[in-house]
């Protein structure tokens, strides 16, 4: 079992607290005012979104270790520029979730783990695919991601409202059958008879 000591400041009373975390799922309260300081939950790994100013698109992968250490590790593999973590999503089965995300984004794949997507689109798409909230979101992208999510929600609401109010109105003839002012369309049997080749005798007497 790993034990961690965290020093944090209470958002309510601004007092400093030292918290010991030793369980996979742990929470802590402020010693001064009793407000909840944090709630910790352990998971197997994360699905991450990274970017590199020298590399096209974004890198989407998984790690069961520290995601920031992973970014530093792959930045020193001969690739120009440094990778930075844009977002991380929790996963109890990171290998399975990575395959799922890669499959859904396959049309935009330009490399093994690289996709021709802008960061905001990638983060929003992965959130939808995994149906999970991020555990980390780069501050620079926080506002545009939230704006995109708000826009999607409003568009969905408009489509729903349009589907409710924009349903076609029933014509007066729809309630009683076909329009008596128009000739009935030929039946399937009549169409088949018209298309069927006529016999030699029928041609003589037609």
């Amino acid at each position: 079992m790993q034990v961690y000591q965290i020093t944090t400041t209470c958002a309510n009373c601004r007092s400093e607290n030292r918290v010991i975390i030793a369980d996979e799922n742990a929470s802590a309260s402020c010693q001064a005012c009793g407000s909840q300081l944090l709630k910790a939950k352990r998971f197997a790994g994360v699905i991450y979104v990274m970017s590199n100013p020298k590399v096209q698109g974004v890198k989407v992968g998984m790690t069961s270790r520290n995601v920031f250490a992973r970014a530093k590790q792959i930045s020193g593999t001969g690739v120009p520029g440094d990778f930075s973590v844009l977002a991380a999503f929790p996963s109890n089965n990171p290998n399975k979730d990575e395959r799922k995300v890669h499959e859904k984004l396959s049309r935009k794949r330009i490399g093994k783990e690289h996709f021709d997507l802008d960061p905001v689109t990638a983060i929003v798409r992965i959130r939808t695919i995994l149906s999970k909230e991020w555990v980390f979101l780069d501050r620079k992208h926080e506002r545009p991601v939230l704006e995109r999510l708000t826009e999607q929600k409003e568009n969905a609401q408009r489509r729903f409202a349009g589907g409710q109010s924009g349903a076609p109105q029933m014509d007066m003839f729809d309630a009683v059958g076909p329009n008596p002012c128009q000739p009935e369309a030929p039946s399937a049997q009549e169409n088949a008879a018209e298309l069927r080749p006529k016999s030699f005798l029928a041609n003589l007497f037609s």
Side-chain angles (χ1 to χ4, degrees):
M1 177 186 296
Q2 294 180 319
V3 180
Y4 301 92
Q5 177 178 289
I6 300 175
T7 301
T8 182
T9 301
C10 177
N12 184 46
C13 68
R14 309 305 300 173
S15 63
E16 187 177 278
N17 291 260
R18 290 184 179 179
V19 180
I20 302 296
I21 297 180
D23 300 323
E24 292 187 356
N25 298 283
S27 60
S29 300
C30 176
Q31 298 175 356
C33 69
S35 298
Q36 187 178 54
L37 292 172
L38 57 86
K39 186 175 182 180
K41 183 177 181 180
R42 186 175 180 179
F43 34 83
V46 297
I47 304 300
Y48 61 73
V49 181
M50 297 185 188
S51 69
N52 183 328
K54 302 291 185 180
V55 179
Q56 180 183 351
V58 295
K59 176 177 171 62
V60 179
M62 75 87 186
T63 183
S64 56
R65 301 179 181 179
N66 186 303
V67 67
F68 300 100
R70 174 62 177 158
K72 185 176 181 180
Q73 178 188 22
I74 62 178
S75 295
T77 56
V79 179
D82 294 329
F83 283 92
S84 58
V85 182
L86 306 182
F89 295 84
S91 174
N92 289 322
N93 192 334
N95 286 300
K96 180 180 178 181
D97 284 343
E98 182 190 46
R99 288 194 300 270
K100 181 179 180 180
V101 170
H102 284 183
E103 180 182 349
K104 294 293 186 180
L105 301 180
S106 60
R107 294 180 62 183
K108 293 292 185 178
R109 188 194 295 269
I110 54 177
K112 183 178 179 181
E113 292 185 348
H114 293 270
F115 299 84
D116 188 17
L117 293 168
D118 66 86
V120 173
T121 300
I123 294 168
V124 171
R125 289 282 303 277
I126 293 172
R127 177 182 180 271
T128 301
I129 294 168
L130 297 178
S131 299
K132 295 177 181 177
E133 294 295 334
W134 50 78
V135 290
F136 171 80
L137 179 61
D138 178 54
R139 187 176 295 274
K140 177 183 176 182
H141 293 89
E142 183 175 337
R143 182 173 179 178
V145 166
L146 294 177
E147 287 177 347
R148 179 75 63 84
L149 292 173
T150 300
E151 180 184 354
Q152 287 186 349
K153 182 178 179 180
E154 291 174 349
N155 289 339
Q157 290 174 340
R158 281 195 292 268
R159 286 195 297 269
F160 178 78
Q164 293 292 321
S165 60
Q169 298 295 318
M170 181 179 290
D171 187 82
M172 62 177 292
F173 296 117
D174 292 339
V176 296
N179 189 337
C181 299
Q182 294 181 352
E184 292 186 8
S187 66
Q189 291 180 345
E190 291 171 337
N191 282 332
E194 184 67 25
L195 295 173
R196 190 180 302 121
K198 296 180 180 180
S199 66
F200 175 72
L201 291 176
N203 285 330
L204 287 177
F205 296 101
S206 60

